[in-house]
Amino acid sequence: MKRPTADQRPLLVPLYVHPAADPAAWAALETAAPSLRAVVLNVADGPGARPDPAFTEAAARLRAAGVPLLGYTDTGYGHRPPRDVVGDIRRHRRWYEVDGVFLDQVAAHPALLPRYRRLVTVARALGARTAVLNPGTHPDPGYARLGDLLVTFEGDWETYRRVDVPAWTTDHPPERFCHLVHGVPSGYADRVARTAARRGAAVHCAVPGEGPNPWQSVPGTLTATTGEGR
């Protein structure tokens, strides 16, 4: 059977739990490799102060399974110094051999477009094959031209049910957009997938988690098919 290309893989998974704390969740990602657009590697709100052997091993196993990895990098909605952002990108590449970058807390207004354009350019120069930007909402349309994937929703299921999609998104292919939804009731993961597709986003993630860090479990669809995760 022919393996799907990156653009045909529907799941972007931010798994923010230590591999030693939930090895079954990380193993489930290996099993689900053909459906994963990428996994976001977040050691300590970034790469951490030093390499973590457990994450090094988990990253190697996912790479061996054919899963692209993105290094989590907080941009502070444009307020974090660029040199600190670039430092995180470098450490992710050096310590965990990630394939790309996941720029989180991205600004949404047009004034900071030049700053994010420079960050993406630097990330690519440092070897990032994929650049994902996460404003968590629909930003100025210019952000859709900066990276490979734009996260235009991050929030809970109840909010997601009521969100509106601006008309400008139809100017871009669905493969350029991602929706990250947490607090998803049991059995509703497929509904999130259908809703995302209807709203023009070919990539999504739906997890049951809630609270300050809802991204501590694998998507509900993987739990249903593998029997692993929380």
Side-chain angles (χ1 to χ4, degrees):
M1 180 180 294
K2 186 176 180 181
R3 291 177 65 87
T5 65
D7 283 351
Q8 295 171 326
R9 300 179 182 187
L11 296 178
L12 173 71
V13 180
L15 183 57
Y16 300 165
V17 64
H18 197 278
D22 194 349
W26 289 88
L29 295 182
E30 293 179 55
T31 303
S35 65
L36 298 180
R37 177 74 174 265
V39 169
V40 182
L41 203 68
N42 186 2
V43 179
D45 291 332
R50 60 187 60 84
D52 185 315
F55 273 97
T56 300
E57 180 182 356
R61 291 174 66 93
L62 287 174
R63 282 198 309 275
V67 179
L69 300 175
L70 306 175
Y72 176 95
T73 305
D74 182 8
T75 70
Y77 298 105
H79 299 297
R80 192 175 181 217
R83 65 179 177 275
D84 293 344
V85 175
V86 172
D88 279 1
I89 295 171
R90 289 182 184 276
R91 284 187 286 274
H92 274 301
R93 285 283 297 163
R94 186 166 65 248
W95 295 346
Y96 304 110
E97 300 180 43
V98 297
D99 305 279
V101 61
F102 182 88
L103 298 177
D104 196 26
Q105 300 199 93
V106 168
H109 49 85
L112 290 180
L113 275 167
R115 170 172 292 204
Y116 283 99
R117 185 177 296 110
R118 288 192 294 270
L119 287 176
V120 171
T121 299
V122 171
R124 294 201 190 283
L126 292 173
R129 292 192 291 272
T130 301
V132 178
L133 285 77
N134 180 24
T137 187
H138 286 93
D140 180 87
Y143 285 89
R145 296 189 290 270
L146 298 186
D148 302 287
L149 190 64
L150 184 67
V151 179
T152 53
F153 180 86
E154 180 180 354
D156 63 73
W157 164 246
E158 290 301 322
T159 302
Y160 188 58
R161 291 174 60 190
R162 301 185 299 272
V163 75
D164 292 323
V165 178
W168 66 259
T169 59
T170 60
D171 295 334
H172 304 274
E175 291 77 19
R176 300 295 297 276
F177 297 111
C178 174
H179 295 166
L180 302 178
V181 189
H182 56 77
V184 178
S186 177
Y188 276 54
D190 286 337
R191 185 171 175 181
V192 172
R194 293 193 300 270
T195 303
R198 188 170 64 250
R199 293 175 177 171
V203 185
H204 73 282
C205 186
V207 299
E210 299 176 330
N213 178 18
W215 307 108
Q216 299 185 64
S217 58
V218 297
T221 49
L222 302 191
T223 302
T225 57
T226 67
E228 297 176 340
R230 289 193 301 217

